[in-house]
Amino acid sequence: MLVSVYCTSVHSTSCLGAYTAAARDARRLRHRRLATTGRRSKREISSKLNLDLDLGQVLGTVKRNEGLYDNLPPGKVGLFGLRETFAYLNDPNKFIRTRVEMYGPVFKTAFFFKPAVVFGSPEAIREFKEFEGDLPADAALPETFRELHTEYGALRMSGERHKATRANFGKVLGRSALTHYTPILAKLTRDFVKGELLEKGTLQPGYDCRQFCLKALFQLFLGTVPPQDIMEKMYVYNEGLLALGKLSPEFTEGQKALEDLQEFCLKHFRTVRAQGKLDNPEYFFLKQYSQATDENGDLFTDERVAVTTILMIWGAFIEAAASMGHTTWLLMRNPDKAKKVRAECRSSFSREELDSGKLSLDDVYTKLTFTECAIKEALRVMPQTAGGLRVNPETRTLAGYTIPSGYVLTADPRIAFLNPDFFPDPEDYRPERFLPAENPAIAPDNFFPGGMGQHKCPGISLSNLMVSIYLVYLNSCFDKWEPDMSAEEMDSEDPQYIQVPIVIIDDRYQLKLERNWQYEM
């Protein structure tokens, strides 16, 4: 069965041709315009307005002096960006898809009530990479996010401070760290799949995978799994980050959740250090950050170590869980691909290796070639999130369009993923397209599920590793899975989705697992 891109309840069959046609029409329109940047009177500006637009768009165009430019990207912002922001939050993937159909791969809109230019064409990506490193990041983020992400959050940083922070990421997310994490993750995944899932015979890919990833990452980064009430604080904190204002109860509760999480992590870190246990294998992450230095060469404070641990767990657990759920569902809907993944997973590791959890990173990377392709293709077909947000501090040209100062710029992977030049039949789920011999055109400029540039997601390799190990155990223990229509809240064989900040399958969706009786327990 072929799966439509983004798998929302509203499917589009015109997306393929729309990408190419809209991009061509946008270029033709752009070349017909006069590149005039001089000042004009208010009367001249008003005469240029298309009065067929809604009143908010007309007023917003005047308010932002957009009439001064003849070659802005196509699209709508509105007066305060309310309509576009709420439309995006309601269904981000559908929002991007429909605007690509209308305007092409470069368009203007509003993100979080700020005017924005969203792009994903090869030309725009190439140009963006030339100046992306000089753009400020902090001002593009919503106020609630900035405050709860704290001053230690890399998404808020620029310049030397950001460079020093990213350098520390390499010590806990690089290949050496992943080599250390692999057997730990294997044992945790073994207990999850062969224990919890095998016992109940069902899987809620949204809820179960999210809970598992949260526990696993606490164990990986903190060396312990907190009590359930502390773990639940991470969900409250996440809601606070996306609150629509600092007066909202979600923001207040998010602040309290962050304080509770910080208190727990700080106390645990200090206890481990006081007991001389930082050299123990389970405290690898804490050991690295106990030695981390900032841009001035000063050691991180204990408070910064605690907050960094929280931010690293927060940044990874939903991403990994969403990837597990989407890959599981897409394999179910594409049984021929599932058969290849299952055969590869079952032939790559012995019963002894699976039972002991003694998997190595090299074996995962070298033996699970098609499985890795299945994960990458799931990230493409079911994009989890947008690219990073940057503020454009000065008027510049991008892909032939004028971008006024103050606009947010974002390279959106979901646009690139629709491009049939790089992904023929992009609405199909075809893992083999990621085999080098199959599609050598795939490159970082057209496949960047974790964003691009200095603020790209540093944990995408860890997430993919977690999903690979999960699929090894899932396919070893179970022959197949299908929608569990006997579940109380199941009303469709296809899932609904939580849309922000990461697109993830709704908690109510449940699969029935068919046990592999040839696998000795």
Side-chain angles (χ1 to χ4, degrees):
M1 179 184 296
L2 301 183
V3 180
S4 175
V5 169
Y6 308 137
C7 305
T8 60
S9 57
V10 179
H11 295 276
S12 170
T13 59
S14 60
C15 205
L16 282 182
Y19 182 101
T20 304
R24 182 185 63 243
D25 294 342
R27 286 194 297 270
R28 288 174 178 171
L29 177 61
R30 184 175 74 224
H31 294 321
R32 288 200 300 267
R33 291 169 173 160
L34 295 176
T36 304
T37 58
R39 296 278 182 183
R40 299 184 179 89
S41 67
K42 290 291 185 180
R43 177 178 296 177
E44 288 176 306
I45 294 173
S46 298
S47 69
K48 292 175 61 60
L49 296 177
N50 179 357
L51 295 180
D52 291 335
L53 298 176
D54 59 86
L55 180 61
Q57 177 65 16
V58 172
L59 294 176
T61 300
V62 175
K63 175 178 177 287
R64 291 183 297 275
N65 289 324
E66 290 179 354
L68 297 174
Y69 309 99
D70 281 302
N71 56 335
L72 290 173
K76 295 182 179 182
V77 178
L79 180 55
F80 300 111
L82 293 171
R83 179 180 53 198
E84 292 291 285
T85 294
F86 286 121
Y88 177 80
L89 293 175
N90 183 60
D91 191 337
N93 288 342
K94 178 184 175 183
F95 177 93
I96 295 297
R97 184 181 66 246
T98 55
R99 278 150 185 78
V100 169
E101 292 172 4
M102 290 189 291
Y103 307 123
V106 181
F107 60 88
K108 69 175 182 286
T109 182
F111 274 0
F112 301 105
F113 315 112
K114 299 177 182 179
V117 172
V118 185
F119 54 91
S121 68
E123 177 187 8
I125 293 295
R126 285 194 299 269
E127 294 180 16
F128 178 68
K129 290 173 67 176
E130 294 178 0
F131 60 82
E132 179 270 337
D134 299 326
L135 298 180
D138 189 51
L141 300 169
E143 183 181 19
T144 54
F145 189 99
R146 288 201 304 270
E147 182 156 336
L148 290 185
H149 199 56
T150 81
E151 62 177 310
Y152 302 131
L155 291 176
R156 294 189 55 183
M157 296 180 183
S158 302
E160 291 302 314
R161 191 174 198 215
H162 178 257
K163 188 182 298 184
T165 296
R166 295 283 299 197
N168 287 304
F169 287 168
K171 299 174 184 177
V172 294
L173 294 173
R175 188 179 180 100
S176 177
L178 296 183
T179 299
H180 178 83
Y181 297 150
T182 298
I184 300 174
L185 287 170
K187 293 181 177 67
L188 293 169
T189 308
R190 174 201 64 195
D191 296 343
F192 169 56
V193 175
K194 291 185 62 179
E196 181 180 340
L197 298 188
L198 194 64
E199 179 179 351
K200 66 178 186 175
T202 60
L203 167 66
Q204 292 170 268
Y207 177 79
D208 289 336
C209 291
R210 193 180 68 242
Q211 284 287 94
F212 164 69
C213 289
L214 185 56
K215 292 178 182 178
L217 286 160
F218 264 113
Q219 182 65 55
L220 215 60
F221 293 161
L222 196 62
T224 189
V225 177
Q228 185 65 30
D229 64 319
I230 295 296
M231 284 207 306
E232 295 289 338
K233 299 288 185 182
M234 192 65 77
Y235 301 133
V236 180
Y237 169 65
N238 184 65
E239 292 180 9
L241 283 164
L242 296 171
L244 293 179
K246 295 177 71 173
L247 298 179
S248 68
E250 290 83 6
F251 178 76
T252 303
E253 292 168 3
Q255 281 184 310
K256 181 62 168 59
L258 176 59
E259 292 171 1
D260 293 342
L261 286 164
Q262 184 175 349
E263 180 183 358
F264 180 87
C265 292
L266 182 61
K267 181 179 179 180
H268 180 74
F269 170 59
R270 286 174 170 170
T271 299
V272 170
R273 185 178 57 191
Q275 294 175 346
K277 294 182 178 180
L278 282 175
D279 287 324
N280 290 10
E282 64 267 32
Y283 300 124
F284 173 87
F285 181 94
L286 292 180
K287 172 67 178 295
Q288 303 309 309
Y289 269 99
S290 72
Q291 301 169 342
T293 57
D294 62 17
E295 67 277 15
N296 299 314
D298 297 328
L299 286 172
F300 278 18
T301 64
D302 292 357
E303 289 75 14
R304 184 169 182 178
V305 173
V307 171
T308 298
T309 304
I310 295 166
L311 294 178
M312 295 286 274
I313 296 170
W314 166 81
F317 86 96
I318 296 182
E319 179 182 276
S323 185
M324 287 178 182
H326 298 327
T327 308
T328 301
W329 186 82
L330 285 163
L331 289 174
M332 178 186 71
R333 289 303 188 203
N334 293 269
D336 57 327
K337 314 302 181 188
K339 184 177 180 180
K340 291 183 179 180
V341 170
R342 185 171 298 113
E344 183 177 77
C345 287
R346 291 184 177 182
S347 64
S348 295
F349 299 97
S350 68
R351 161 74 188 279
E352 181 182 358
E353 289 173 314
L354 293 176
D355 285 351
S356 66
K358 293 180 179 179
L359 277 58
S360 73
L361 182 68
D362 286 344
D363 282 345
V364 171
Y365 278 169
T366 58
K367 295 182 178 181
L368 299 179
T369 305
F370 191 80
T371 302
E372 181 185 9
C373 293
I375 296 167
K376 290 181 175 179
E377 178 70 342
L379 288 170
R380 187 195 68 81
V381 171
M382 282 296 302
Q384 297 179 13
T385 188
L389 306 179
R390 309 286 179 272
V391 172
N392 180 43
E394 59 186 30
T395 300
R396 70 172 76 242
T397 300
L398 179 69
Y401 292 111
T402 297
I403 314 298
S405 63
Y407 266 63
V408 171
L409 288 172
T410 178
D412 199 299
R414 294 166 292 195
I415 299 176
F417 294 170
L418 289 171
N419 192 336
D421 292 340
F422 302 116
F423 304 103
D425 301 316
E427 296 189 9
D428 296 354
Y429 178 72
R430 287 175 42 196
E432 57 272 10
R433 74 169 85 242
F434 282 93
L435 295 171
E438 175 76 13
N439 191 357
I442 295 179
D445 282 1
N446 49 59
F447 182 71
F448 47 101
M452 65 165 43
Q454 294 191 42
H455 289 80
K456 66 182 178 182
C457 174
I460 193 73
S461 295
L462 173 60
S463 174
N464 288 352
L465 174 63
M466 293 176 70
V467 182
S468 293
I469 295 173
Y470 158 80
L471 289 174
V472 166
Y473 280 97
L474 191 71
N475 281 285
S476 295
C477 288
F478 303 103
D479 285 329
K480 65 177 183 178
W481 41 89
E482 59 187 19
D484 185 5
M485 299 308 298
S486 66
E488 183 176 349
E489 297 187 77
M490 285 280 289
D491 55 9
S492 171
E493 292 192 354
D494 295 332
Q496 298 297 314
Y497 296 90
I498 298 170
Q499 300 290 352
V500 290
I502 298 291
V503 178
I504 187 171
I505 294 175
D506 184 88
D507 286 357
R508 295 168 294 180
Y509 190 71
Q510 184 166 296
L511 299 173
K512 182 165 55 177
L513 304 170
E514 183 175 305
R515 181 171 176 172
N516 171 22
W517 291 100
Q518 293 182 341
Y519 183 81
E520 298 179 13
M521 300 301 160

Tab-separated table of all heavy atoms in Angstrom, residues 185-220:
chain	number	residue	atom	x	y	z
A	185	LEU	N	21.519	0.938	25.871
A	185	LEU	CA	20.233	1.050	25.185
A	185	LEU	C	19.686	-0.329	24.813
A	185	LEU	O	18.467	-0.554	24.866
A	185	LEU	CB	20.388	1.903	23.923
A	185	LEU	CG	20.559	3.404	24.151
A	185	LEU	CD1	20.948	4.100	22.849
A	185	LEU	CD2	19.272	4.016	24.707
A	186	ALA	N	20.577	-1.248	24.438
A	186	ALA	CA	20.127	-2.594	24.076
A	186	ALA	C	19.452	-3.281	25.267
A	186	ALA	O	18.389	-3.903	25.124
A	186	ALA	CB	21.303	-3.418	23.568
A	187	LYS	N	20.044	-3.172	26.438
A	187	LYS	CA	19.452	-3.809	27.627
A	187	LYS	C	18.119	-3.151	27.996
A	187	LYS	O	17.151	-3.838	28.356
A	187	LYS	CB	20.427	-3.735	28.802
A	187	LYS	CG	21.693	-4.567	28.628
A	187	LYS	CD	22.593	-4.444	29.844
A	187	LYS	CE	23.847	-5.321	29.722
A	187	LYS	NZ	24.747	-4.844	28.643
A	188	LEU	N	18.062	-1.831	27.917
A	188	LEU	CA	16.818	-1.133	28.234
A	188	LEU	C	15.720	-1.499	27.233
A	188	LEU	O	14.559	-1.717	27.615
A	188	LEU	CB	17.057	0.383	28.226
A	188	LEU	CG	17.970	0.936	29.318
A	188	LEU	CD1	18.333	2.384	29.030
A	188	LEU	CD2	17.296	0.824	30.696
A	189	THR	N	16.086	-1.578	25.951
A	189	THR	CA	15.108	-1.921	24.913
A	189	THR	C	14.667	-3.371	25.046
A	189	THR	O	13.479	-3.692	24.863
A	189	THR	CB	15.706	-1.674	23.522
A	189	THR	OG1	16.240	-0.347	23.456
A	189	THR	CG2	14.645	-1.828	22.447
A	190	ARG	N	15.592	-4.256	25.356
A	190	ARG	CA	15.251	-5.668	25.606
A	190	ARG	C	14.188	-5.771	26.680
A	190	ARG	O	13.176	-6.483	26.512
A	190	ARG	CB	16.512	-6.423	26.022
A	190	ARG	CG	16.293	-7.866	26.456
A	190	ARG	CD	17.460	-8.334	27.305
A	190	ARG	NE	17.575	-7.582	28.556
A	190	ARG	CZ	18.648	-7.592	29.344
A	190	ARG	NH1	19.717	-8.321	29.017
A	190	ARG	NH2	18.669	-6.893	30.472
A	191	ASP	N	14.386	-5.076	27.780
A	191	ASP	CA	13.424	-5.159	28.886
A	191	ASP	C	12.079	-4.559	28.497
A	191	ASP	O	11.029	-5.043	28.935
A	191	ASP	CB	13.983	-4.435	30.113
A	191	ASP	CG	15.244	-5.101	30.661
A	191	ASP	OD1	15.493	-6.270	30.299
A	191	ASP	OD2	15.973	-4.442	31.424
A	192	PHE	N	12.094	-3.522	27.687
A	192	PHE	CA	10.851	-2.893	27.238
A	192	PHE	C	10.066	-3.816	26.306
A	192	PHE	O	8.868	-4.055	26.512
A	192	PHE	CB	11.191	-1.582	26.528
A	192	PHE	CG	10.057	-0.941	25.798
A	192	PHE	CD1	8.860	-0.612	26.445
A	192	PHE	CD2	10.167	-0.637	24.441
A	192	PHE	CE1	7.814	-0.011	25.768
A	192	PHE	CE2	9.129	-0.035	23.756
A	192	PHE	CZ	7.940	0.273	24.415
A	193	VAL	N	10.740	-4.358	25.291
A	193	VAL	CA	10.038	-5.162	24.282
A	193	VAL	C	9.740	-6.564	24.805
A	193	VAL	O	8.598	-7.051	24.741
A	193	VAL	CB	10.861	-5.231	22.979
A	193	VAL	CG1	10.188	-6.163	21.973
A	193	VAL	CG2	11.026	-3.833	22.383
A	194	LYS	N	10.775	-7.255	25.327
A	194	LYS	CA	10.577	-8.634	25.780
A	194	LYS	C	9.854	-8.708	27.118
A	194	LYS	O	9.350	-9.768	27.486
A	194	LYS	CB	11.932	-9.328	25.900
A	194	LYS	CG	12.616	-9.596	24.562
A	194	LYS	CD	13.892	-10.385	24.755
A	194	LYS	CE	13.598	-11.733	25.371
A	194	LYS	NZ	14.827	-12.546	25.543
A	195	GLY	N	9.819	-7.597	27.824
A	195	GLY	CA	9.121	-7.570	29.099
A	195	GLY	C	7.739	-6.975	28.956
A	195	GLY	O	6.732	-7.683	28.847
A	196	GLU	N	7.671	-5.652	28.893
A	196	GLU	CA	6.392	-4.948	28.902
A	196	GLU	C	5.519	-5.272	27.692
A	196	GLU	O	4.347	-5.634	27.844
A	196	GLU	CB	6.661	-3.438	28.959
A	196	GLU	CG	5.409	-2.584	28.994
A	196	GLU	CD	5.736	-1.102	29.056
A	196	GLU	OE1	6.874	-0.761	29.447
A	196	GLU	OE2	4.866	-0.300	28.714
A	197	LEU	N	6.056	-5.167	26.483
A	197	LEU	CA	5.229	-5.360	25.290
A	197	LEU	C	4.828	-6.820	25.119
A	197	LEU	O	3.694	-7.126	24.737
A	197	LEU	CB	5.974	-4.876	24.044
A	197	LEU	CG	6.328	-3.389	23.997
A	197	LEU	CD1	6.888	-3.013	22.625
A	197	LEU	CD2	5.116	-2.520	24.316
A	198	LEU	N	5.749	-7.730	25.381
A	198	LEU	CA	5.432	-9.150	25.228
A	198	LEU	C	4.359	-9.573	26.220
A	198	LEU	O	3.477	-10.377	25.910
A	198	LEU	CB	6.695	-9.988	25.424
A	198	LEU	CG	6.613	-11.444	24.974
A	198	LEU	CD1	6.402	-11.532	23.472
A	198	LEU	CD2	7.893	-12.181	25.349
A	199	GLU	N	4.407	-9.014	27.407
A	199	GLU	CA	3.436	-9.383	28.436
A	199	GLU	C	2.026	-8.933	28.079
A	199	GLU	O	1.072	-9.685	28.222
A	199	GLU	CB	3.842	-8.773	29.772
A	199	GLU	CG	2.865	-9.100	30.912
A	199	GLU	CD	3.306	-8.504	32.230
A	199	GLU	OE1	4.443	-7.979	32.301
A	199	GLU	OE2	2.512	-8.543	33.185
A	200	LYS	N	1.880	-7.709	27.592
A	200	LYS	CA	0.521	-7.214	27.319
A	200	LYS	C	0.058	-7.469	25.888
A	200	LYS	O	-1.137	-7.408	25.603
A	200	LYS	CB	0.420	-5.731	27.658
A	200	LYS	CG	1.230	-4.792	26.809
A	200	LYS	CD	0.978	-3.343	27.246
A	200	LYS	CE	1.661	-2.353	26.327
A	200	LYS	NZ	1.330	-0.955	26.662
A	201	GLY	N	0.987	-7.736	24.965
A	201	GLY	CA	0.603	-8.088	23.600
A	201	GLY	C	0.086	-6.937	22.764
A	201	GLY	O	-0.466	-7.161	21.683
A	202	THR	N	0.255	-5.738	23.228
A	202	THR	CA	-0.176	-4.557	22.479
A	202	THR	C	0.896	-3.474	22.576
A	202	THR	O	1.762	-3.512	23.457
A	202	THR	CB	-1.504	-3.988	23.014
A	202	THR	OG1	-1.336	-3.607	24.393
A	202	THR	CG2	-2.631	-5.013	22.891
A	203	LEU	N	0.802	-2.510	21.663
A	203	LEU	CA	1.721	-1.376	21.652
A	203	LEU	C	0.946	-0.109	21.322
A	203	LEU	O	0.258	-0.046	20.296
A	203	LEU	CB	2.814	-1.591	20.598
A	203	LEU	CG	3.679	-0.364	20.251
A	203	LEU	CD1	4.528	0.049	21.447
A	203	LEU	CD2	4.555	-0.647	19.023
A	204	GLN	N	1.038	0.863	22.197
A	204	GLN	CA	0.560	2.205	21.887
A	204	GLN	C	1.786	3.000	21.442
A	204	GLN	O	2.569	3.463	22.284
A	204	GLN	CB	-0.073	2.850	23.117
A	204	GLN	CG	-1.387	2.196	23.548
A	204	GLN	CD	-1.863	2.711	24.900
A	204	GLN	OE1	-1.536	2.111	25.930
A	204	GLN	NE2	-2.608	3.804	24.894
A	205	PRO	N	1.990	3.126	20.135
A	205	PRO	CA	3.246	3.710	19.651
A	205	PRO	C	3.483	5.143	20.115
A	205	PRO	O	4.639	5.565	20.206
A	205	PRO	CB	3.118	3.633	18.126
A	205	PRO	CG	1.673	3.400	17.856
A	205	PRO	CD	1.112	2.702	19.037
A	206	GLY	N	2.410	5.873	20.412
A	206	GLY	CA	2.593	7.214	20.951
A	206	GLY	C	2.992	7.166	22.411
A	206	GLY	O	4.081	7.602	22.791
A	207	TYR	N	2.129	6.584	23.230
A	207	TYR	CA	2.340	6.585	24.683
A	207	TYR	C	3.492	5.678	25.107
A	207	TYR	O	4.402	6.104	25.834
A	207	TYR	CB	1.060	6.154	25.396
A	207	TYR	CG	1.221	6.059	26.894
A	207	TYR	CD1	1.202	7.207	27.682
A	207	TYR	CD2	1.422	4.826	27.509
A	207	TYR	CE1	1.378	7.129	29.058
A	207	TYR	CE2	1.597	4.742	28.882
A	207	TYR	CZ	1.571	5.891	29.653
A	207	TYR	OH	1.751	5.814	31.009
A	208	ASP	N	3.480	4.427	24.672
A	208	ASP	CA	4.487	3.464	25.144
A	208	ASP	C	5.901	3.875	24.729
A	208	ASP	O	6.842	3.808	25.537
A	208	ASP	CB	4.180	2.067	24.604
A	208	ASP	CG	2.961	1.442	25.261
A	208	ASP	OD1	2.626	1.837	26.398
A	208	ASP	OD2	2.328	0.564	24.629
A	209	CYS	N	6.062	4.275	23.473
A	209	CYS	CA	7.400	4.657	23.005
A	209	CYS	C	7.876	5.936	23.694
A	209	CYS	O	9.062	6.074	23.995
A	209	CYS	CB	7.402	4.830	21.488
A	209	CYS	SG	7.203	3.280	20.572
A	210	ARG	N	6.954	6.846	23.953
A	210	ARG	CA	7.341	8.083	24.627
A	210	ARG	C	7.789	7.824	26.055
A	210	ARG	O	8.812	8.337	26.511
A	210	ARG	CB	6.174	9.073	24.604
A	210	ARG	CG	6.570	10.487	25.004
A	210	ARG	CD	5.389	11.429	24.976
A	210	ARG	NE	4.436	11.129	26.009
A	210	ARG	CZ	3.179	10.753	25.798
A	210	ARG	NH1	2.728	10.609	24.565
A	210	ARG	NH2	2.368	10.500	26.808
A	211	GLN	N	7.045	6.996	26.776
A	211	GLN	CA	7.421	6.647	28.139
A	211	GLN	C	8.753	5.911	28.175
A	211	GLN	O	9.609	6.179	29.033
A	211	GLN	CB	6.331	5.780	28.780
A	211	GLN	CG	5.100	6.536	29.220
A	211	GLN	CD	5.371	7.373	30.461
A	211	GLN	OE1	5.692	8.564	30.364
A	211	GLN	NE2	5.236	6.777	31.630
A	212	PHE	N	8.922	4.986	27.230
A	212	PHE	CA	10.176	4.237	27.184
A	212	PHE	C	11.353	5.162	26.907
A	212	PHE	O	12.400	5.082	27.579
A	212	PHE	CB	10.124	3.148	26.114
A	212	PHE	CG	11.480	2.612	25.762
A	212	PHE	CD1	12.199	1.859	26.681
A	212	PHE	CD2	12.068	2.881	24.530
A	212	PHE	CE1	13.464	1.380	26.381
A	212	PHE	CE2	13.332	2.406	24.217
A	212	PHE	CZ	14.032	1.651	25.145
A	213	CYS	N	11.219	6.047	25.919
A	213	CYS	CA	12.330	6.932	25.566
A	213	CYS	C	12.662	7.894	26.701
A	213	CYS	O	13.840	8.205	26.937
A	213	CYS	CB	11.998	7.707	24.290
A	213	CYS	SG	12.014	6.683	22.798
A	214	LEU	N	11.651	8.344	27.414
A	214	LEU	CA	11.906	9.238	28.539
A	214	LEU	C	12.700	8.518	29.623
A	214	LEU	O	13.698	9.037	30.140
A	214	LEU	CB	10.582	9.758	29.098
A	214	LEU	CG	10.666	10.808	30.210
A	214	LEU	CD1	11.487	12.007	29.761
A	214	LEU	CD2	9.268	11.247	30.634
A	215	LYS	N	12.286	7.300	29.967
A	215	LYS	CA	13.014	6.513	30.960
A	215	LYS	C	14.443	6.210	30.481
A	215	LYS	O	15.410	6.336	31.242
A	215	LYS	CB	12.285	5.200	31.232
A	215	LYS	CG	10.955	5.342	31.942
A	215	LYS	CD	10.301	3.978	32.116
A	215	LYS	CE	8.936	4.099	32.788
A	215	LYS	NZ	8.269	2.772	32.908
A	216	ALA	N	14.558	5.807	29.221
A	216	ALA	CA	15.868	5.424	28.688
A	216	ALA	C	16.838	6.596	28.703
A	216	ALA	O	18.019	6.440	29.044
A	216	ALA	CB	15.712	4.876	27.268
A	217	LEU	N	16.354	7.784	28.365
A	217	LEU	CA	17.252	8.939	28.302
A	217	LEU	C	17.600	9.468	29.689
A	217	LEU	O	18.702	9.990	29.894
A	217	LEU	CB	16.633	10.018	27.424
A	217	LEU	CG	16.717	9.652	25.933
A	217	LEU	CD1	15.718	10.444	25.110
A	217	LEU	CD2	18.124	9.862	25.404
A	218	PHE	N	16.691	9.348	30.645
A	218	PHE	CA	17.072	9.660	32.022
A	218	PHE	C	18.192	8.714	32.469
A	218	PHE	O	19.173	9.140	33.080
A	218	PHE	CB	15.867	9.535	32.955
A	218	PHE	CG	15.165	10.834	33.233
A	218	PHE	CD1	13.876	11.059	32.780
A	218	PHE	CD2	15.786	11.840	33.955
A	218	PHE	CE1	13.224	12.257	33.032
A	218	PHE	CE2	15.147	13.035	34.228
A	218	PHE	CZ	13.861	13.250	33.757
A	219	GLN	N	18.034	7.426	32.158
A	219	GLN	CA	19.062	6.459	32.533
A	219	GLN	C	20.381	6.754	31.832
A	219	GLN	O	21.459	6.691	32.429
A	219	GLN	CB	18.593	5.050	32.180
A	219	GLN	CG	19.563	3.940	32.577
A	219	GLN	CD	19.731	3.839	34.084
A	219	GLN	OE1	18.752	3.696	34.804
A	219	GLN	NE2	20.965	3.901	34.563
A	220	LEU	N	20.304	7.120	30.559
A	220	LEU	CA	21.498	7.359	29.769
A	220	LEU	C	22.246	8.612	30.223
A	220	LEU	O	23.471	8.610	30.335
A	220	LEU	CB	21.096	7.513	28.297
A	220	LEU	CG	22.062	6.983	27.230
A	220	LEU	CD1	22.292	5.488	27.397
A	220	LEU	CD2	21.493	7.282	25.850
